[in-house]
């Protein structure tokens, strides 16, 4: 678990660096699903810890393996986002549920709403029945989140 978190933080740092090398100044809009959502969430936390509040315009996280109940982490991540902050979840995503719950005691944001002011929870359950469907149904997810 520690190795995965170290890799995600490293990936988050690389993502921030890459985005800034392509476009040094915002606005930035970020979207990711599954581990991509987790990497973006880590990026937001890194940006918040270095005082970059409001640096990202919009964020769309879909099927994310991060805690839905860690409101402190969500508020920290939210502080970096000046516009929309969307959590797309599918309550019937058994793959995410099994994998996440093997190492965590709570529920991932990809399975349930975060229920926090400033975070828009969009239920994608009518579209997504399995974690493997996100890639092929991303256009439908994007439309449902009104990106």
């Amino acid at each position: 678990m520690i190795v995965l978190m170290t890799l995600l933080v490293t990936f988050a740092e690389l993502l921030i660096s890459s985005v800034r090398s392509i476009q040094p100044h915002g606005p930035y809009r970020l979207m990711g699903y599954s581990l991509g959502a987790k990497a973006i969430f880590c990026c937001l936390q890194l940006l918040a810890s270095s005082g970059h509040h409001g640096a990202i315009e919009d964020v769309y996280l879909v099927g994310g393996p991060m805690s839905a109940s860690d409101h402190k982490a969500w508020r920290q991540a939210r502080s970096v986002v000046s516009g929309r902050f969307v959590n797309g979840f599918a309550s019937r995503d058994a793959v995410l549920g099994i994998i996440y719950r093997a190492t965590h005691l709570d529920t991932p944001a990809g399975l349930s709403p975060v229920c926090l002011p400033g975070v828009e929870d969009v239920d994608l359950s009518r579209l997504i029945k399995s974690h493997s469907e996100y890639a092929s149904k991303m256009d439908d997810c994007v439309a449902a989140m009104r990106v």
Side-chain angles (χ1 to χ4, degrees), residues 5-144:
M5 287 308 299
T6 303
L7 287 172
L8 282 171
V9 169
T10 302
F11 180 75
E13 290 169 343
L14 284 169
L15 181 60
I16 291 168
S17 175
S18 295
V19 167
R20 286 189 174 150
S21 71
I22 295 167
Q23 184 175 330
H25 304 287
Y28 303 109
R29 292 185 183 103
L30 304 176
M31 180 175 192
Y33 82 96
S34 193
L35 285 178
K38 177 69 173 180
I40 289 171
F41 195 78
C42 288
C43 284
L44 299 175
Q45 291 178 300
L46 286 171
L47 288 168
S49 67
S50 60
H52 290 90
H53 303 286
I56 306 296
E57 186 170 358
D58 298 315
V59 172
Y60 303 89
L61 305 176
V62 183
M66 52 276 187
S67 173
S69 61
D70 187 352
H71 286 182
K72 181 179 178 184
W74 281 90
R75 278 191 292 275
Q76 180 186 28
R78 178 65 178 110
S79 73
V80 177
V81 183
S82 62
R84 294 182 69 206
F85 192 13
V86 179
N87 172 49
F89 68 94
S91 59
R92 296 181 286 183
D93 183 350
V95 173
L96 176 61
I98 291 166
I99 292 171
Y100 183 85
R101 289 184 180 127
T103 57
H104 299 79
L105 297 175
D106 62 347
T107 301
L111 285 180
S112 68
V114 174
C115 299
L116 188 68
V119 177
E120 298 175 46
D121 291 306
V122 177
D123 189 350
L124 302 171
S125 299
R126 66 179 175 78
L127 301 171
I128 303 296
K129 291 169 186 52
S130 171
H131 204 70
S132 61
E133 292 183 329
Y134 278 113
S136 64
K137 295 187 177 180
M138 192 52 66
D139 288 345
D140 296 330
C141 293
V142 166

